[in-house]
Amino acid sequence: MTVAVSRTQAFPPYELLDVEDPLAASTSFDATVARAQAKTRKLERLYHQTQAHAWNPTQVLDELEAKHGGIHLAEEKREAVGELFSVILWGELAAWNIAADLARELPDLEAKMAATGQVFDEARHFTVLRDYMKRAGVRVPPLNPYGRKVLLRIIETDSLMEKLYGMQLLVENMALSIFKRVAASGVEPVLSELLVYIERDESRHVALGVLHLPAMVSKATALERARNLKFNLELFALTVLGGQYLDPYLRTLGVDHRELGHTSLRLHQQVLKEMSSEMGLAPGEHVRGIYSLAKWQQRLLLDWLHPEKPIEQLAPVHQATLRWFDRGVRRAAKWMATS
Ligand SMILES: [Fe+2]
Ligand SMILES: [Fe+2]
């Protein structure tokens, strides 16, 4: 494998000993230098924040259980919690593995440190959610085929840019949106409070992508950027299909799917805006190689997939296409699970 050969040749990476002052490299203080210096500080801070805000998963779970007098999860919601949290739980394990890959492969010292901090966070999230499901008596079913495909694509890609985009920006953002909506739906008080702890950690992981991806995108060739865009679109399509697969479970949990979609699209746009500013692009200028939906496209997608009106009150064509889409998603899931 070419990666192994280059890894051997590239070890040790002596350049990690270089303590570079971005100001020293320039004769004048300009915006690019200031941005590079600020980015380095922010990335390094992510690592220190991980340590400063570390929490003990067993202790927090014990305390929350004591505070609420145990876990009170309605019997009729257990299956739906299992289906939704199967994606989250295995997503945490995937994030754990991917963060370890990033800690090993990222060439930049501060980004390496931030990814190392993330390894600890994701280990904590996987453990605490696994323990919560056990204590709540929730059986976690096998991961649905769409969620599995998304995670496998990110685990298996050799491209660091795709890995960083897929995990830090797409999956982390989806997870953040789900946590916000599940907590807002008040499914179970211990879970709602636990998700706030996890959510705080996850926002640091999105920040790693926002801070480091611009440097990768600007160094990438046109072909690499085109490949990344194709990868982004594939993952986006899979998350839309996976979202539809989970729709009945979200309904059972009282999670507003339209609101969830809206939160997720809004977070993605916010991240793109932050990336543009990290790259020093003019307001409204698009980051090349990263997919982005215009406001009207987001609205169209939400209005078609998750209309405000109940399905019975929609135009017959809209009802028919939605039912056809839902049947297709479920049939394809069965086929994917057995093939
Ligand atoms: Fe996590
Ligand atoms: Fe994360």
Side-chain angles (χ1 to χ4, degrees), residues 118 122 172 202 205:
Q118 188 183 345
E122 306 297 9
E172 296 280 1
E202 302 297 6
H205 309 160

Side-chain angles (χ1 to χ4, degrees), residues 117-118 121-122 125 168 172 201-209:
Q118 188 183 345
D121 286 340
E122 306 297 9
H125 299 168
Q168 309 305 117
E172 296 280 1
D201 295 341
E202 302 297 6
S203 51
R204 279 197 298 276
H205 309 160
V206 176
L208 167 59

Side-chain angles (χ1 to χ4, degrees), residues 46-61 89 92-93 95-96 116-132 194 196-202 204-205:
L46 291 178
Y47 170 81
H48 296 299
Q49 281 174 342
T50 304
Q51 297 195 37
H53 301 297
W55 44 280
N56 181 319
T58 311
Q59 194 185 328
V60 165
L61 199 48
L89 192 63
E92 296 292 356
L93 186 74
W96 184 354
T116 305
Q118 188 183 345
V119 174
F120 281 87
D121 286 340
E122 306 297 9
R124 186 188 306 128
H125 299 168
F126 179 77
T127 312
V128 80
L129 284 172
R130 188 198 61 162
D131 290 351
Y132 173 86
L194 186 59
V196 176
Y197 279 83
I198 301 178
E199 199 184 313
R200 255 195 314 251
D201 295 341
E202 302 297 6
R204 279 197 298 276
H205 309 160

Side-chain angles (χ1 to χ4, degrees), residues 95-254:
W96 184 354
N97 292 343
I98 291 162
D101 284 348
L102 292 173
R104 187 181 56 196
E105 301 289 343
L106 286 173
D108 182 291
L109 180 67
E110 291 75 22
K112 230 179 212 333
M113 287 169 79
T116 305
Q118 188 183 345
V119 174
F120 281 87
D121 286 340
E122 306 297 9
R124 186 188 306 128
H125 299 168
F126 179 77
T127 312
V128 80
L129 284 172
R130 188 198 61 162
D131 290 351
Y132 173 86
M133 294 301 149
K134 215 178 265 179
R135 293 190 197 189
V138 172
R139 190 191 78 83
V140 180
L143 181 57
N144 78 66
Y146 300 108
R148 185 165 180 270
K149 183 101 180 153
V150 167
L151 297 177
L152 275 178
R153 287 288 283 121
I154 305 171
I155 289 170
E156 286 171 353
T157 178
D158 281 336
S159 159
L160 267 186
M161 186 161 64
E162 291 177 1
K163 226 178 244 295
L164 199 64
Y165 169 80
M167 180 44 70
Q168 309 305 117
L169 300 190
L170 190 123
V171 172
E172 296 280 1
N173 257 341
M174 290 291 299
L176 271 174
S177 315
I178 292 174
F179 294 162
K180 281 183 198 301
R181 300 321 312 169
V182 169
S185 72
V187 173
E188 201 285 313
V190 173
L191 182 61
S192 293
E193 283 202 44
L194 186 59
L195 292 179
V196 176
Y197 279 83
I198 301 178
E199 199 184 313
R200 255 195 314 251
D201 295 341
E202 302 297 6
S203 51
R204 279 197 298 276
H205 309 160
V206 176
L208 167 59
V210 169
L211 291 169
H212 197 64
L213 204 57
M216 286 186 136
V217 173
S218 56
K219 282 182 205 153
T221 63
L223 182 64
E224 285 168 336
R225 280 203 294 265
R227 279 195 184 137
N228 190 52
L229 185 61
K230 182 179 158 281
F231 184 75
N232 292 185
L233 290 169
E234 186 191 337
L235 293 190
F236 176 69
L238 283 167
T239 56
V240 170
L241 297 170
Q244 186 61 30
Y245 179 87
L246 289 171
D247 190 64
Y249 305 110
L250 292 170
R251 278 174 203 274
T252 305
L253 297 178

